[in-house]
Amino acid sequence: CAGTNTGDGMAMAVEAGAGLVGDTMFTQLGVNDIIGIRPDFCMPFIFGMGKFMGVNSHGERFLNEYITGYNRAQAVAHQDNTTGWGIVDSDNETAGVFGSESDLEAGYVFVADTLEELAEKIDIPAAKLVESANAYNAIIDGNGTDPFGNSAETMDRLDTAPYYAWLMRPCTITSLVAVTVDDGARVLNEDGQPIENLFAAGDMVLGNLLKCYSAARGVGNAIYSGDLAAQTAKAELQNE
């Protein structure tokens, strides 16, 4: 889930002649590809267990904040500068994850006593942010329905200082590009023939099995495919 995942194993397999399967990439909300998905932010903001107002760099809401993190990441990816902001106030049930000295110094969490001051800190139009917050609060108060499909039960009023803004950017977390393998975890070349003494397991083979992302899918696959590759390699050594 971070910039340290550089695909070195895939590159080595291709250099050895491996064929590839799959072309799907997956994104999630994060700060950037190096910081990746902050674990202390992921429950309230990424997986839809918190309530916040999301705005773009123009101070306008652009999404149903309670959709899945994967869909949120896609929504942010279509905004100017591929940037969004999660806005909460100090009464928010997840406000406790914000405001540490390191977060503030890093420049992806901001805090201010008013929405206008917060807008200035994150360089978005103050009037538009206040307008968006007022419209958001009105929906919670029962004045109209949300044009983005959220509901008052999964929204939280913005009216108690201080206010916090959290940077939202789409980050690549995984892909279903894989080296081609047979049912014994032998790596196959582009002609579908096994490459001698080359086996693969884990995420490097997942694209042979799945066409869509399933959360926490990697652990079971790693255990099964790793054992399969070891058993195949052992059997071939014993048969030499």
Side-chain angles (χ1 to χ4, degrees):
C1 299
T4 51
N5 295 338
T6 57
D8 292 344
M10 298 289 291
M12 288 188 289
V14 169
E15 186 174 350
L20 296 181
V21 60
D23 60 1
T24 306
M25 302 294 290
F26 294 96
T27 57
Q28 180 61 281
L29 285 181
V31 176
N32 58 45
D33 283 337
I34 300 301
I35 297 172
I37 300 171
R38 283 285 304 276
D40 52 346
F41 289 163
C42 71
M43 294 306 287
F45 286 94
I46 292 175
F47 291 109
M49 297 180 182
K51 304 172 183 179
F52 70 102
M53 180 180 75
V55 298
N56 57 23
S57 58
H58 304 292
E60 302 167 332
R61 285 185 67 215
F62 62 95
L63 81 167
N64 176 346
E65 292 88 352
Y66 218 65
I67 58 178
T68 68
Y70 313 122
N71 289 327
R72 290 181 195 167
Q74 291 299 313
V76 173
H78 286 88
Q79 302 306 303
D80 288 348
N81 303 318
T82 60
T83 297
W85 295 95
I87 310 295
V88 299
D89 70 3
S90 59
D91 275 348
N92 188 279
E93 60 189 5
T94 56
V97 303
F98 295 103
S100 71
E101 184 175 342
S102 60
D103 289 345
L104 297 173
E105 290 177 353
Y108 48 82
V109 176
F110 296 82
V111 60
D113 289 330
T114 67
L115 288 171
E116 290 86 351
E117 292 174 4
L118 188 65
E120 182 177 354
K121 288 188 175 184
I122 62 177
D123 195 26
I124 67 175
K128 182 57 69 173
L129 178 61
V130 172
E131 178 184 330
S132 295
N134 288 340
Y136 181 86
N137 288 341
I139 295 168
I140 297 172
D141 293 338
N143 298 318
T145 59
D146 182 24
F148 300 100
N150 207 341
S151 63
E153 291 74 21
T154 52
M155 302 166 72
D156 195 32
R157 286 186 61 82
L158 296 166
D159 57 12
T160 304
Y163 299 91
Y164 299 88
W166 165 58
L167 179 63
M168 299 189 297
R169 289 198 175 119
C171 300
T172 300
I173 59 169
T174 190
S175 77
L176 290 184
V177 180
V179 296
T180 308
V181 294
D182 64 11
D183 58 6
R186 303 174 187 85
V187 176
L188 306 179
N189 62 25
E190 293 182 349
D191 296 324
Q193 299 302 310
I195 299 173
E196 186 177 5
N197 298 326
L198 188 59
F199 306 88
D203 271 8
M204 286 187 64
V205 305
L206 195 61
N208 292 270
L209 307 173
L210 299 179
K211 299 301 180 186
C212 61
Y213 181 75
S214 175
R217 80 280 177 270
V219 176
N221 171 66
I223 294 172
Y224 171 77
S225 59
D227 180 70
L228 177 63
Q231 294 293 337
T232 303
K234 177 181 178 181
E236 292 190 357
L237 284 172
Q238 290 175 337
N239 291 331
E240 288 184 355

